Amino acid sequence: MSTISLPDESPMLRREFTYGVATSSFQIEGATESRIPCIWDTFCAQPNTIADSSNGDLACEHVKYWQQDVAMIADLGVDAYRLSIAWGRVMNEDGSANVQGLQFYKDLVTALRQKNIKVFVTLYHWDLPQYLEAQGGWLNRDTAYAFALYADVVSNALGEQVYSYATLNEPFCSAYLGYEEGIHAPGKVGQAYGRQAAHHLLLAHGLAMQALRHNVPNSLCGIVLNFSTAYSATDSQADIDAARMGDEYHNHWYIQPLLEGTYPDVMSQIGVDAQPHIAPGDMDIIAQKNDFIGVNYYTRAVYRSDGEGWFEQVVPQGHALTAMGWEIVPDAFTKLLVELDQRYDLPPIYITENGAAFDDRLVAGEVVDQQRIDYFNSHLRAVDNAIKQGVDIRGYFAWSLMDNFEWALGYSKRFGIVYVDYATQQRTLKHSALAYKAMLSNRL
Ligand code: FCB
């Protein structure tokens, strides 16, 4: 079996570099009967939303098998586990806490701590309670305040047993895919919707940070953002300008307000009607100090001019693709990290997601996923290169611990380092999991 390895002098081989695996609540938990419905339950129930017409009703049945899953995580030898809390499992519609739901996460965190695994909690990985969506969801400013209340309840209950709290996972996906393009829940379409949702998500982050600072001053608090490194399709000035606009619109729209308290200039190039309403004081709430920023990276994006002063994304060419059709470009990962570091005064960075889907086959009890091992090798080296160029990166989480519900693509795409047979819920460590485990046990 081939291995995952890093250059001998890599700082990532030292024990203080944190390695983990990541999941999210809706993608693995199942047990919908013990929580209130969320926007993904509703979205999945609509026709033509999910590639295989599936839903999160069972997923990996993690609520049932959580003890076995904790044992599996511990067996991998990781330092940390990144999980998300289902908002609707811990809060009831009337604003009271769901005591049993909180207990589930308390037990999970305690079990992980007993195995000496650091717990990285994400408070919002896209599963907004449906009753809040009925009141406008992220288009309604009140949702940001409801989120802060939820953050207060969770951080009070779990406290500093949780090593790190991230407020949101990938607000780009919630806002753009969910409210602008409509390919994710809640399936709304419109630029004004997308921009307003983005602003309220960022506001929610800022308000939740205030609660976290108060309740868990010693936990590491921040946010997780996703980036696709922007490239221009050609050397023409029009395409270079388009790539810069695409970068501002999809990447910097989320990080610049957090770190500098302003939106990128590309805001002035969209119609006034589509610009978000920003109340006085909002940008100060958004731009609070973060202890870390989580970076999720999978691939790059290639842009060209649409001929009318705006950008469009082109289907990339020239690199091998994952089963998602995403180009494998590890250099773009280094470029992203180095450029973020040059542009901003960054807090410490954790790579909170990185990984790939391939068409895995379980044959005679084994999954030989050499392409995934290659992906991890090249991308860990990309992180190592960025560290050597001065970027302060503290940890790396493989996406994902196990195959799970891949949003609009349902169960048709497998990102896990552990294979899940959904009919039996049998988990099998793929060769990539064995290679990750071997690499972790060889650290200095
Ligand atoms: C990210 C999501 C994660 C997973 C990966 C493949 O955008 O955060 O839940 O679906 O993509």
Side-chain angles (χ1 to χ4, degrees):
M1 195 196 69
S2 65
T3 57
I4 295 175
S5 65
L6 281 158
D8 287 345
E9 72 287 8
S10 173
M12 295 167 73
L13 288 172
R14 298 193 197 116
R15 286 274 166 196
E16 60 265 28
F17 191 84
T18 299
Y19 284 98
V21 284
T23 62
S24 89
S25 48
F26 190 86
Q27 293 179 280
I28 66 164
E29 284 185 354
T32 49
E33 69 288 345
S34 48
R35 61 162 174 76
I36 59 174
C38 74
I39 54 175
W40 275 92
D41 297 312
T42 312
F43 192 66
C44 291
Q46 289 161 12
N48 306 319
T49 51
I50 312 298
D52 58 2
S53 305
S54 62
N55 57 42
D57 287 1
L58 292 178
C60 306
E61 293 192 70
H62 171 69
V63 168
K64 184 167 170 191
Y65 295 114
W66 69 272
Q67 283 159 310
Q68 159 186 337
D69 288 339
V70 168
M72 183 170 75
I73 295 165
D75 174 60
L76 289 171
V78 290
D79 309 304
Y81 175 49
R82 174 173 177 242
L83 63 106
S84 85
I85 309 265
W87 186 339
R89 193 178 292 290
V90 301
M91 299 293 286
N92 299 315
E93 198 168 325
D94 63 5
S96 63
N98 177 335
V99 177
Q100 276 158 351
L102 277 174
Q103 192 62 44
F104 168 72
Y105 293 111
K106 278 187 197 168
D107 292 345
L108 179 58
V109 169
T110 303
L112 289 161
R113 292 300 307 127
Q114 278 167 356
K115 300 276 188 192
N116 215 13
I117 295 166
K118 288 178 185 157
V119 183
F120 281 62
V121 157
T122 299
L123 291 167
Y124 185 69
H125 203 123
W126 310 353
D127 39 3
L128 184 72
Q130 179 59 38
Y131 81 91
L132 289 172
E133 181 57 35
Q135 296 162 27
W138 290 111
L139 302 179
N140 183 345
R141 191 178 169 86
D142 294 344
T143 299
Y145 289 87
F147 179 71
L149 175 67
Y150 155 62
D152 183 52
V153 169
V154 173
S155 54
N156 255 323
L158 303 182
E160 293 177 349
Q161 284 295 307
V162 170
Y163 181 83
S164 161
Y165 287 90
T167 54
L168 308 176
N169 177 69
E170 304 187 349
F172 158 86
C173 292
S174 299
Y176 184 73
L177 302 180
Y179 287 85
E180 192 157 330
E181 292 281 295
I183 57 173
H184 276 189
K188 290 223 156 62
V189 181
Q191 190 178 38
Y193 291 154
R195 298 301 104 186
Q196 191 62 59
H199 183 68
H200 288 152
L201 281 152
L202 292 169
L203 181 66
H205 158 77
L207 294 168
M209 283 296 281
Q210 295 173 344
L212 294 172
R213 292 299 185 207
H214 181 261
N215 293 345
V216 287
N218 296 307
S219 297
L220 222 55
C221 298
I223 186 169
V224 170
L225 304 175
N226 63 303
F227 299 88
S228 295
T229 323
Y231 286 74
S232 65
T234 74
D235 289 341
S236 77
Q237 193 55 49
D239 287 349
I240 292 169
D241 290 346
R244 190 189 43 76
M245 272 190 275
D247 195 22
E248 304 284 294
Y249 196 74
H250 289 319
N251 293 327
H252 296 283
W253 197 283
Y254 304 90
I255 189 170
Q256 187 177 312
L258 294 169
L259 296 179
E260 297 180 346
T262 54
Y263 281 105
D265 292 341
V266 72
M267 168 99 95
S268 62
Q269 284 167 264
I270 64 174
V272 177
D273 291 352
Q275 293 181 12
H277 177 71
I278 303 170
D282 281 3
M283 300 314 286
D284 289 337
I285 295 171
I286 291 170
Q288 289 173 63
K289 183 180 167 294
N290 290 289
D291 299 327
F292 78 100
I293 285 191
V295 170
N296 293 354
Y297 171 85
Y298 290 92
T299 190
R300 66 170 185 162
V302 183
Y303 298 100
R304 71 173 174 217
S305 165
D306 73 346
E308 292 172 19
W310 195 239
F311 63 87
E312 60 189 19
Q313 209 171 323
V314 300
V315 178
Q317 276 163 354
H319 293 92
L321 305 178
T322 70
M324 298 290 279
W326 294 348
E327 275 187 305
I328 302 173
V329 198
D331 288 351
F333 196 7
T334 309
K335 177 173 148 74
L336 167 77
L337 293 162
V338 170
E339 287 180 0
L340 286 175
D341 191 46
Q342 285 165 351
R343 175 161 168 171
Y344 297 106
D345 185 9
L346 290 178
I349 297 295
Y350 282 83
I351 308 305
T352 32
E353 285 179 29
N354 178 236
F358 292 106
D359 292 326
D360 302 315
R361 297 272 173 269
L362 177 65
V363 179
E366 284 188 66
V367 180
V368 184
D369 56 339
Q370 185 57 43
Q371 289 171 295
R372 187 173 288 106
I373 295 178
D374 295 344
Y375 185 98
F376 284 129
N377 255 318
S378 59
H379 287 75
L380 285 166
R381 274 164 198 262
V383 175
D384 176 65
N385 282 338
I387 294 173
K388 287 175 178 155
Q389 290 177 61
V391 190
D392 182 3
I393 303 169
R394 306 278 175 96
Y396 176 95
F397 290 78
W399 183 272
S400 174
L401 165 66
M402 57 184 160
D403 298 333
N404 57 50
F405 176 78
E406 179 45 37
W407 308 113
L409 295 165
Y411 298 98
S412 67
K413 301 295 171 204
R414 295 180 176 272
F415 271 92
I417 61 172
V418 172
Y419 186 91
V420 177
D421 176 338
Y422 294 107
T424 61
Q425 290 298 345
Q426 174 88 31
R427 281 93 159 110
T428 305
L429 270 60
K430 301 180 191 176
H431 277 207
S432 57
L434 300 173
Y436 199 43
K437 179 176 171 176
M439 188 270 281
L440 295 173
S441 71
N442 282 333
R443 285 177 297 161
L444 309 172

